[in-house]
Amino acid sequence: MSFKDWLTGDKVTNTGIEYSPIYWITLSVVLLILILLIVFSALKKIPNKIKQNVLIGIAIFQLAFEVVWRIIFAVFKGSTFVNLWPMYPCNLGGIIVPIVCLLNSKKGKDLFYLFAFVGALLSFALPGNMYSFDYMAFPLLKSALQHTGILIIPAMEYSMGKYRPSIKDYPLLFVGCLIHFLNCEGIDEWLGLDPATNDYMYLRQGYPFEIPGIPSPFVTIIFALIVFAILLIILNPKESIAYIKGKFNLLFSKQKKHVKGE
């Protein structure tokens, strides 16, 4: 196998094994790195400046890697602009997450962090045929590194106490999901691709939470939005509960005023 063959992955053999040895090795390494960096970020003895420098370094590497792998694919695989467009959520997240981190944008984090983190987790939990090959070619390494970066950046910021989302951020999270949806199910058609065939957002995968008679994409979207709401409460219960109570108190006070007005 030549170096070019490794870069393109053209000569890999699909073994048909979803949870292959390559998958378990990759998962083990990713979990080890993730746990170590979470512990590193949470340790109070380590100066915040050092933690911040490590985080910035990871974000810069992630962003640079997104440029490098596209150049490699364009040169060695002959990939076109359409092929290199960040159609999949992970490809878009791989670009947006490090940019948001480097800009330290609170709204950007509310829009994309949780979606990216959960999506990356699902890619490792439900790999499909992603790791069912006989060796780790560059396209597979690219995917593993991409998803690892998307996991690490939000996890480190949360562990550092730098970013703590709550249920009050749900509207922005919804907008972020909508942006991903339009990218996967709208821009692809504009570029001449078929979303029903490619299923870039994995809305037609036949998940176990399907409801007979209701279209799978609709069920998947509703289920995801409910899960995101629950996660936001879990990630910041104190602020989320206070926000929910405040909304209920405001609603009841308006009803009381309306009744008195009658």
Side-chain angles (χ1 to χ4, degrees), residues 109-245:
K109 295 172 186 179
D110 293 338
L111 283 165
F112 300 111
Y113 265 22
L114 186 59
F115 183 95
F117 184 84
V118 172
L121 278 180
L122 286 175
S123 74
F124 286 112
L126 303 169
N129 64 350
M130 189 182 299
Y131 297 95
S132 58
F133 299 102
D134 54 348
Y135 68 90
M136 177 75 83
F138 178 74
L140 180 53
L141 179 63
K142 163 255 170 188
S143 181
L145 286 174
Q146 188 178 61
H147 288 99
T148 302
I150 295 173
L151 280 175
I152 287 173
I153 293 173
M156 283 191 68
E157 291 220 39
Y158 184 83
S159 300
M160 291 167 63
K162 191 176 177 183
Y163 174 64
R164 293 292 172 92
S166 72
I167 194 66
K168 71 176 182 179
D169 304 315
Y170 191 82
L172 281 175
L173 171 63
F174 179 82
V175 173
C177 293
L178 183 61
I179 291 172
H180 275 287
F181 179 80
L182 292 176
N183 181 62
C184 297
E185 300 282 330
I187 292 180
D188 54 350
E189 291 189 51
W190 179 69
L191 292 174
L193 302 171
D194 183 7
T197 302
N198 295 284
D199 195 16
Y200 297 107
M201 208 168 183
Y202 305 103
L203 297 176
R204 306 168 182 86
Q205 296 297 303
Y207 294 117
F209 43 79
E210 284 188 346
I211 300 175
I214 301 178
S216 177
F218 181 79
V219 176
T220 304
I221 291 170
I222 297 300
F223 180 81
L225 292 174
I226 293 172
V227 170
F228 283 136
I230 295 172
L231 287 175
L232 285 172
I233 295 173
I234 293 174
L235 289 170
N236 197 339
K238 185 176 180 180
E239 187 174 314
S240 295
I241 292 172
Y243 178 79
I244 293 171
K245 284 183 177 178

Side-chain angles (χ1 to χ4, degrees), residues 27-87:
L27 182 64
S28 300
V29 173
V30 170
L31 287 177
L32 178 62
I33 294 172
L34 182 62
I35 291 170
L36 288 175
L37 285 174
I38 288 176
V39 172
F40 166 80
S41 303
L43 287 175
K44 294 182 179 180
K45 292 182 179 180
I46 300 176
N48 287 332
K49 187 176 181 180
I50 294 177
K51 298 176 184 177
Q52 183 65 19
N53 289 340
V54 171
L55 178 64
I56 291 174
I58 292 172
I60 292 174
F61 172 82
Q62 176 82 9
L63 195 56
F65 183 71
E66 289 294 325
V67 175
V68 169
W69 76 255
R70 283 178 169 82
I71 294 174
I72 291 174
F73 277 30
V75 172
F76 293 97
K77 291 175 68 72
S79 297
T80 64
F81 171 79
V82 174
N83 299 132
L84 297 175
W85 180 266
M87 200 64 63

